[in-house]
């Protein structure tokens, strides 16, 4: 809010490129490597918050959905591309766990991967120099400057006191966004993204089929995100969120039932249970991608009032990453202690809460201005 959206994007790209140099040229010094990775994390945190904010504030209401949805599409596309780059570097330099791969080849391989990863940030740096500033931010800035020039102490940017934040105008939409971002991870997405092959193996799929199932759900994720970008400005955010969270509930129940059957001795872990879990994961990813995967970025930027949008996004994204980290950390220990059927039953309950908040806690924002959305909460 102090220096604007565009400057943050430009600075983040510069920090990431500089940090890549620190990492790649660390000369096997752990602390230099660690410092470079921390700088990369800072830059990624900035971009992850500001890029969807900039898109939502710069696009007209009728194109805001698909434009912001492209952010998620390119995130997934980047993950797929990074995997292909890793395979290419492995093919050219040799596998890291291959005894015939020399130390020099291993060093060149990981340095090359980091340097290649800096190329998009170089493009972002020069591209951002030509970008206009967010019109919403400029409008706030001009309002504050105009009030100051007129000697008006009651500037339109009222102080964000605790009492102001607890009013219906701010507290209600913030609570809705907070719940949606929390449920977005509690429904089980981090568990699938981090442990999909492990999950398939536990359910009875052979290793080679587990790897193919992993490829299948990532392909579905990309394809359904593309579909969501086409639908979000036609069918609306609420429709896609309810469709997606309802599908997630169905899939988590299916996965939970398969693991309960294994753990209670009803069915042996094998092809049938493995196929059920694989089908559940693919359906989960399809539902997530067509609904929450794209709409969650819109929920953050559209529902939070302009005055608290930047700060609110920072808070809820912090919570989002914290919950994701907690799910990744707790999934395997909880599964070993209480059973994976119970873990996925918890995810199903979270999906129900997600659906309820989406259905009753937010307006349809398709084609509406930020002022119209904010007025809906003030009338509630």
């Amino acid at each position: 809010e102090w220096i604007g959206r565009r400057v943050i994007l430009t600075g983040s790209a510069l920090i990431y490129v500089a940090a890549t140099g620190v990492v790649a040229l660390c000369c096997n010094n752990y602390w230099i490597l660690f410092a470079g990775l921390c700088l990369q994390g800072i830059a990624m945190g900035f971009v992850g918050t500001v890029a969807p904010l900039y898109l939502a504030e710069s696009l007209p209401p009728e194109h805001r959905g698909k434009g912001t949805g492209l952010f998620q599409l390119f995130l997934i596309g980047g993950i797929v591309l990074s995997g292909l780059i890793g395979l290419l570097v492995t093919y050219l330099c040799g596998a890291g766990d291959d005894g015939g791969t020399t130390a020099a080849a291993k060093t060149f391989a990981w340095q090359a991967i980091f340097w290649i990863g800096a190329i998009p940030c170089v493009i972002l740096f020069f591209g951002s120099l030509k970008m206009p500033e967010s019109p919403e931010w400029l409008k706030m800035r001009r309002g504050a400057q105009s009030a100051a020039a007129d000697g008006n102490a009651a500037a339109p940017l009222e102080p964000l006191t605790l009492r102001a934040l607890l009013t219906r105008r701010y507290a209600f939409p913030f609570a809705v966004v907070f719940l949606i971002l929390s449920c977005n991870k509690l429904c089980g997405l981090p568990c699938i993204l981090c442990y999909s092959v492990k999950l398939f193996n536990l359910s009875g799929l052979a290793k080679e089929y587990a790897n193919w199932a992993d490829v299948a759900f990532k392909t579905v994720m990309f394809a359904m995100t593309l579909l969501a970008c086409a639908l979000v400005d036609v069918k609306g955010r609420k429709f896609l969120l309810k469709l997606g969270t309802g599908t997630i509930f169905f899939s988590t129940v299916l996965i939970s039932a398969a693991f309960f059957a294994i753990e209670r001795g009803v069915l042996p872990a094998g092809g049938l249970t493995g196929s059920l879990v694989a089908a559940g994961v693919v359906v989960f990813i399809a539902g997530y991608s067509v609904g929450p995967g794209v709409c969650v970025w819109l929920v953050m930027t559209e529902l939070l009032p302009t005055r608290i949008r930047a700060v609110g996004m920072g808070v809820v994204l912090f919570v989002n990453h914290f919950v994701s980290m907690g799910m990744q950390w707790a999934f395997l220990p909880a599964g070993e202690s209480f059973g994976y059927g119970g873990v996925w039953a918890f995810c199903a309950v979270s999906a129900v809460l997600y659906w309820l908040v989406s259905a009753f806690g937010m307006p349809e924002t398709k084609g509406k201005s930020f002022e119209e959305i904010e007025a809906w909460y003030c009338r509630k």
Side-chain angles (χ1 to χ4, degrees), residues 328-348:
Q328 293 171 32
W329 173 80
F331 178 68
L332 293 180
E336 293 296 326
S337 300
F338 307 109
Y340 290 96
V343 172
W344 284 104
F346 169 81
C347 294

Side-chain angles (χ1 to χ4, degrees), residues 12 38 50 54 82 84 119 143 190 209 219 221 251 253 345 351 375:
S12 300
C38 285
V50 177
Y54 177 86
S82 66
L84 294 175
I119 293 174
Y209 295 115
T219 304
M221 192 173 191
S251 62
V253 168

Side-chain angles (χ1 to χ4, degrees), residues 21-377:
V22 174
V23 170
L25 304 175
C26 67
C27 302
N28 294 323
N29 184 293
Y30 170 81
W31 291 109
I32 295 177
L33 173 67
F34 181 75
L37 291 173
C38 285
L39 284 173
Q40 286 188 332
I42 290 170
M44 290 161 63
F46 284 163
V47 171
T49 303
V50 177
L53 175 64
Y54 177 86
L55 284 168
E57 291 184 342
S58 300
L59 293 165
E62 62 270 19
H63 299 302
R64 192 188 299 140
K66 66 175 73 74
T68 306
L70 286 174
F71 179 74
Q72 174 73 1
L73 183 69
F74 275 87
L75 277 178
I76 298 168
I79 292 171
V80 174
L81 183 60
S82 66
L84 294 175
I85 290 170
L87 290 174
L88 177 62
V89 171
T90 300
Y91 174 77
L92 295 174
C93 301
D97 56 358
D98 187 345
T101 305
T102 65
K106 293 179 183 179
T107 299
F108 174 80
W110 71 259
Q111 287 178 332
I113 288 173
F114 272 98
W115 283 121
I116 293 170
I119 293 174
C121 286
V122 173
I123 298 172
L124 174 61
F125 174 77
F126 287 106
S128 64
L129 297 177
K130 298 289 186 180
M131 284 164 36
E133 182 52 90
S134 157
E136 289 291 321
W137 183 81
L138 289 174
K139 185 163 48 175
M140 281 200 308
R141 183 87 168 185
R142 283 194 294 265
Q145 290 174 341
S146 175
D150 294 340
N152 181 6
L157 298 184
E158 75 274 14
L160 283 179
T161 62
L162 179 61
R163 177 173 294 182
L165 288 173
L166 292 177
T167 59
R168 182 178 296 275
R169 178 185 180 187
Y170 295 138
F172 192 3
F174 180 82
V176 170
V177 174
F178 183 92
L179 285 171
I180 286 178
L181 265 291
S182 299
C183 292
N184 195 57
K185 300 302 183 184
L186 289 173
C187 65
L189 180 69
C191 311
I192 290 177
L193 293 180
C194 293
Y195 304 114
S196 59
V197 175
K198 172 83 171 176
L199 194 65
F200 297 141
N201 286 331
L202 287 170
S203 65
L205 278 186
K207 186 174 182 180
E208 59 270 21
Y209 295 115
N211 288 330
W212 276 109
D214 181 65
V215 172
F217 93 73
K218 288 178 180 176
T219 304
V220 168
M221 192 173 191
F222 187 85
M224 296 304 290
T225 301
L226 192 60
L227 176 63
C229 290
L231 292 177
V232 68
D233 284 323
V234 178
K235 303 299 290 185
R237 287 58 152 154
K238 283 191 71 165
F239 173 81
L240 291 183
L241 271 176
K242 290 192 292 184
L243 174 64
T245 52
T247 305
I248 289 172
F249 170 73
F250 171 78
S251 62
T252 50
V253 168
L254 180 61
I255 297 171
S256 176
F259 276 109
F260 271 129
I262 295 170
E263 292 158 358
R264 302 295 168 84
V266 178
L267 291 172
L272 176 59
T273 54
S275 298
L276 288 173
V277 170
V281 168
V282 171
V283 172
F284 181 106
I285 289 299
Y288 180 86
S289 300
V290 82
V294 166
C295 294
V296 71
W297 302 104
L298 288 164
V299 165
M300 284 190 298
T301 52
E302 291 182 331
L303 296 190
L304 290 172
T306 300
R307 182 66 184 94
I308 66 166
R309 187 173 298 125
V311 175
M313 282 185 64
V315 173
V316 295
L317 278 173
F318 174 82
V319 172
N320 181 65
H321 291 309
F322 186 81
V323 173
S324 178
M325 182 180 66
M327 289 291 288
Q328 293 171 32
W329 173 80
F331 178 68
L332 293 180
E336 293 296 326
S337 300
F338 307 109
Y340 290 96
V343 172
W344 284 104
F346 169 81
C347 294
V349 173
S350 299
V352 172
L353 178 59
Y354 203 166
W355 188 91
L356 290 172
V357 176
S358 302
F360 302 108
M362 56 176 282
E364 176 52 69
T365 58
K366 179 185 70 172
K368 293 183 179 179
S369 67
F370 290 122
E371 291 76 14
E372 289 174 317
I373 298 168
E374 187 171 342
W376 186 88
Y377 281 107

